[in-house]
Amino acid sequence: MLPMSEDIERDVMAYDVLIVGAGPAGLAAAMRIKQNAPETEVCVLEKAAEVGGHSLAGAVIETGPLDELVPDWRDDPPAICVDAAEDEFWLLHEHGGSRLPTPPQQNNHGNVIVSLANMMAWLAPKAEALGVEIYPGFAAAEALFDDEGAVKGVRTPDMGLDRAGQPKDSYTPGIEIHAPITLFAEGCRGHCTKQLIERFELDAHADPQTYGIGLKELWKVPEGQCQPGLIQHTIGWPLDDDTYGGGFLYHLDNNQIAIGFVVGLDYADPRLRPFEVFQQFKHHPRIKPMLEGGEIVSAGARALVEGGWQSLPRVEMPGALLIGDAAGTLNVPKIKGIHTAMQAGIIAADHVATHQAADGFDAALRASNVGAELKKVRNIRPGFNKGKWLGLANAVWETATRGASPWTLHNHADWRATRRLDELNGPPPEQAEDYVKRDLPPRDRLASVYYAQTEHDEDQPVHLQVLDTNICIERCTHEYGNPCTRFCPASVYEVVENANGEAELKINAANCVHCKTCDIKDPYQIINWVAPEGGSGPNYYNL
């Protein structure tokens, strides 16, 4: 076996500021730090092989923070960048739908539709031009601490280990990167962020965080089936009234449509299959005509953070800050989090420039426009915990009062919402059975994985750590029906028969698209997602 990590001789690199994650929050912070103090040495680690490779969002963005960082960006925009032209909001039923008034939070006048992957790849060279050092293909395996217990940086994963964790000929130990201040911008359900929240009890006075799984595809469609700038959101079918979620279609230029679906991970029925919900949505009579005759260009899935104001953990600790979706700054009613993530990065950079320490950042973020935006809409998402119709009525009230209700509704852990099979009444959801409509690609989950261009070396340690596989077979099969085989959009988890004729859990880690759903929704909380070998994972081209 390998020696413990502290016994391995490792190279050490030192910077003034270390940033984990080259997403919207991380790059915004890095750029602002260099704009404030060009002499500051800033290092950004990114687990994808290329910046943007693991970035996935809708994505319609409010451009305020981008305007602030790159005032002339419209002279040289990202490869996909379409001005919002029209909004539609639909309530779907199985055979049709009704157009509803567009919620004010979803008025996209002045916003633009982008590919987040392309936007990050476009923004990275601008950060490097300011002197930021960006290292793609280097994840953070764990946070490091000094003798007083403060964060002093991170360690990158060891490279060149086989599936059993033994060194291969290519073995290279990870390096330590130290800095007086580290900004964790890992995105939703970040691996190191999760460790830090537990270590420093950052969520002691917050509600449990809640999440959704977002599935997205980019389509190239025939001429005339796309209206550039049209933004369509849907609620209702194919979800039942008790399950939160909805669909979106963003019409791009060059006959391209970005289509996706979000399912709240607080759903109760463990037989639900979010991937099949999305595929069923594509076959709705209002949706299918826009896609027929087209082809998928790219596909992916990612968890998104939905807890908002009341689930926001303390975002400072000795030596480090949490920013962006690592903290949970997405505005659910707007269906937008890029502008709040970037703004949080800017606020963090200004705080570091002024104070040279983490102390006070939590109060600064909560008192900022980001905090005000989240607090204003704090009751809208949890209002749907009692179903679609009460949720809509509550959303109208909260919108009319501009969030001035004298109460705050509470969030609950998604995994606790999952009901045991013996607690369920009535038939399973339609998506519990094999999906029968396969007129539109992809034909199954493995085909979707192909479009995500995910890649992992088969001979590396499994990065999906199931802490007790006996629970999966001896308890979960009977109590919940192994929901990991249903909620995973990439067929990572299978229950198979071994050579002895016994059931066992098979983990197809190479399929993983890094959505983190298993880490969130597992009803026993025994699945731990960790960063795989550097650069592994999806490549979200144009998504």
Side-chain angles (χ1 to χ4, degrees):
M1 294 294 292
L2 283 174
M4 296 298 290
S5 61
E6 58 265 26
D7 296 329
I8 298 175
E9 184 175 344
R10 300 181 184 277
D11 292 334
V12 177
M13 300 173 65
Y15 291 87
D16 297 320
V17 180
L18 169 62
I19 299 174
V20 180
L27 289 186
M31 294 178 70
R32 183 59 162 236
I33 289 169
K34 296 294 286 188
Q35 290 171 344
N36 285 334
E39 71 281 2
T40 306
E41 294 185 341
V42 181
C43 171
V44 179
L45 300 182
E46 169 53 45
K47 70 183 180 71
E50 298 180 1
V51 174
H54 294 175
S55 297
L56 182 65
V60 180
I61 67 167
E62 296 183 8
T63 64
L66 188 58
D67 296 334
E68 190 173 347
L69 288 172
V70 190
D72 61 349
W73 70 270
R74 292 179 186 272
D75 296 335
D76 176 31
I80 292 179
C81 186
V82 179
D83 289 331
E86 183 182 357
D87 292 295
E88 293 182 359
F89 184 61
W90 287 86
L91 172 62
L92 299 185
H93 52 75
E94 186 172 0
H95 301 293
S98 303
R99 184 172 176 180
L100 303 178
T102 299
Q105 297 91 346
Q106 294 178 25
N107 182 345
N108 286 295
H109 177 74
N111 297 333
V112 295
I113 311 169
V114 299
S115 154
L116 183 59
N118 287 8
M119 179 178 162
M120 293 299 98
W122 165 87
L123 196 60
K126 299 183 184 302
E128 290 175 322
L130 293 171
V132 176
E133 294 184 31
I134 304 176
Y135 294 99
F138 287 88
E142 63 178 352
L144 302 174
F145 307 94
D146 64 19
D147 292 340
E148 284 72 45
V151 177
K152 69 174 184 180
V154 302
R155 176 181 66 81
T156 65
D158 295 339
M159 309 280 276
L161 298 176
D162 66 18
R163 196 172 178 88
Q166 299 298 311
K168 298 184 286 190
D169 292 341
S170 59
Y171 173 71
T172 304
I175 63 173
E176 292 189 4
I177 303 179
H178 296 175
I181 189 80
T182 301
L183 277 59
F184 288 89
E186 297 178 293
C188 175
R189 196 70 168 192
H191 168 55
C192 288
T193 300
K194 190 172 73 166
Q195 297 172 338
L196 293 169
I197 288 174
E198 180 178 1
R199 180 186 180 99
F200 291 101
E201 298 181 339
L202 301 179
D203 58 350
H205 302 291
D207 285 354
Q209 190 57 265
T210 62
Y211 303 87
I213 177 174
L215 304 111
K216 182 183 177 185
E217 296 169 359
L218 178 67
W219 280 67
K220 181 80 170 181
V221 300
E223 189 77 34
Q225 292 178 204
C226 174
Q227 303 175 49
L230 174 61
I231 295 170
Q232 299 169 299
H233 289 111
T234 77
I235 59 171
W237 191 90
L239 295 176
D240 61 32
D241 289 348
D242 293 326
T243 305
Y244 180 82
F248 65 86
L249 295 99
Y250 301 153
H251 295 239
L252 310 173
D253 52 11
N254 298 318
N255 295 308
Q256 295 181 107
I257 295 177
I259 181 171
F261 204 92
V262 174
V263 178
L265 288 178
D266 59 346
Y267 64 83
D269 194 329
R271 299 167 297 182
L272 186 69
R273 300 174 184 240
F275 177 85
E276 280 71 23
V277 170
F278 176 34
Q279 301 309 316
Q280 190 173 18
F281 167 71
K282 286 161 48 181
H283 286 78
H284 188 272
R286 293 203 62 87
I287 308 300
K288 185 178 178 182
M290 289 183 273
L291 303 178
E292 282 184 307
E295 60 181 0
I296 298 178
V297 176
S298 190
R302 185 71 170 96
L304 56 152
V305 60
E306 294 185 344
W309 174 258
Q310 53 271 61
S311 293
L312 194 68
R314 184 158 51 91
V315 293
E316 66 177 70
M317 69 210 82
L321 309 176
L322 304 181
I323 56 176
D325 273 0
T329 56
L330 183 139
N331 183 322
V332 174
K334 280 188 176 181
I335 321 179
K336 295 178 181 65
I338 296 172
H339 70 289
T340 49
M342 294 184 73
Q343 193 63 52
I346 291 171
I347 295 166
D350 290 345
H351 183 84
V352 169
T354 302
H355 301 281
Q356 303 298 313
D359 294 351
F361 175 64
D362 184 79
L365 183 67
R366 292 175 193 274
S368 71
N369 55 348
V370 173
E373 183 173 324
L374 295 181
K375 188 174 184 180
K376 181 179 176 181
V377 300
R378 69 193 182 282
N379 287 330
I380 294 182
R381 172 61 181 93
F384 284 88
N385 291 343
K386 298 296 184 180
K388 178 174 66 182
W389 298 112
L390 285 177
L392 288 173
N394 175 73
V396 171
W397 165 261
E398 291 292 333
T399 300
T401 61
R402 304 178 69 85
S405 297
W407 57 79
T408 295
L409 302 179
H410 290 288
N411 295 318
H412 307 281
D414 294 326
W415 63 274
R416 292 188 182 276
T418 312
R419 299 175 65 184
R420 293 165 51 118
L421 294 176
D422 59 11
E423 298 174 322
L424 299 175
N425 296 312
E430 289 183 54
Q431 297 81 23
E433 302 302 324
D434 286 340
Y435 185 56
V436 294
K437 292 183 178 178
R438 301 184 187 273
D439 302 338
L440 299 173
R443 306 305 179 194
D444 53 39
R445 300 186 199 187
L446 291 180
S448 181
V449 170
Y450 167 80
Y451 290 112
Q453 301 183 71
T454 195
E455 184 175 351
H456 299 81
D457 182 357
E458 294 274 5
D459 190 23
Q460 66 169 291
V462 173
H463 66 281
L464 301 152
Q465 301 174 346
V466 181
L467 305 183
D468 186 350
T469 56
N470 290 326
I471 289 177
C472 304
I473 303 303
E474 296 173 5
R475 291 184 56 190
C476 190
T477 299
H478 310 292
E479 293 175 352
Y480 295 98
N482 300 116
C484 63
T485 64
R486 297 179 178 85
F487 58 58
C488 174
S491 292
V492 168
Y493 301 96
E494 290 183 281
V495 175
V496 300
E497 188 176 286
N498 63 22
N500 298 322
E502 301 168 332
E504 68 177 15
L505 181 68
K506 180 182 179 183
I507 302 176
N508 305 303
N511 292 359
C512 181
V513 295
H514 297 197
C515 74
K516 311 287 185 71
T517 303
C518 56
D519 193 299
I520 297 164
K521 187 61 174 171
D522 165 50
Y524 302 97
Q525 291 295 277
I526 58 171
I527 300 178
N528 185 39
W529 191 100
V530 300
E533 191 167 289
S536 297
N539 179 18
Y540 288 142
Y541 172 72
N542 282 343
L543 275 184

